[in-house]
Amino acid sequence: MSDYLLNNRYRLLTQAASGGMAVVYKAHDLTLNRIVAVKILRENFAEDPGFRARFQSEAQAAANLAHPNIVTVYDFGEDGNRSYIVMEYVEGRDLKSVIRSEAPLPISRAIDLMAQACAALGYAHRAGLVHCDVKPQNMLVTPDGRLKVTDFGIARIAASSQTATGVIKGTPFYMSPEQIAGEKVDGRSDIFSLGVMLYQLLTGELPFK
């Protein structure tokens, strides 16, 4: 889809990342003349009302968060059968790539990265939002060491977050026991996931396999 013009405004340049639900492109915002990231829902999900609603809820949840360690959401829209979110483009790599190439990290660097992640998620928790999918792939690290949390795709409002029986949302290696059990989650579930990440940064291994 590179060089595709989305809604006559966003020119897709190159694919930046790919996940199970969406593909992220580096793009040029022709109206504001800036580089952005555009996350497009995969076509096989685009016709499913549930997935579209979840995708839109990611945009709405993240758009209300303004923090230096959270990726900024600029826009949400549709172009034909394509649903998309426009976000701040972050130069750098995800924390999973850092772990693969550099772990175990020096304690001072691991603490610095974790402090930034905690600041971001603490801010989200105070706003009543639980991320629910904290993992290295959702942490972007810039060349100067700034960490930014992204992908609030399965975040839920803490006051009413109740996972349906038998439905598990998240990434198993990083999920808290209550999340795996399909029970009610709150900010402590994200903190459990942060603990798993810290262990991985310091050892290069997952605590549970």
Side-chain angles (χ1 to χ4, degrees), residues 78-146:
E78 295 186 342
D79 181 0
N81 63 347
R82 295 185 179 92
S83 296
Y84 64 88
I85 299 171
V86 182
M87 304 172 290
E88 167 190 8
Y89 180 77
V90 179
E91 290 282 358
R93 53 185 177 153
D94 64 36
L95 195 56
K96 182 176 182 179
S97 299
V98 174
I99 291 170
R100 281 176 172 171
S101 62
E102 301 178 35
L105 272 64
I107 292 176
S108 60
R109 187 173 180 213
I111 289 174
D112 177 60
L113 291 169
M114 289 299 300
Q116 294 184 68
C118 287
L121 290 167
Y123 172 83
H125 293 167
R126 289 191 295 276
L129 196 69
V130 183
H131 189 289
C132 298
D133 196 18
V134 172
K135 59 184 177 182
Q137 297 93 312
N138 286 336
M139 308 282 164
L140 305 177
V141 183
T142 67
D144 64 356
R146 172 69 64 86

Side-chain angles (χ1 to χ4, degrees), residues 9-10 28-36 74 86:
R9 175 171 179 177
Y10 304 107
H28 181 204
D29 180 346
L30 301 179
T31 301
L32 296 179
N33 192 26
R34 64 180 175 183
I35 296 298
V36 296
Y74 298 136
V86 182

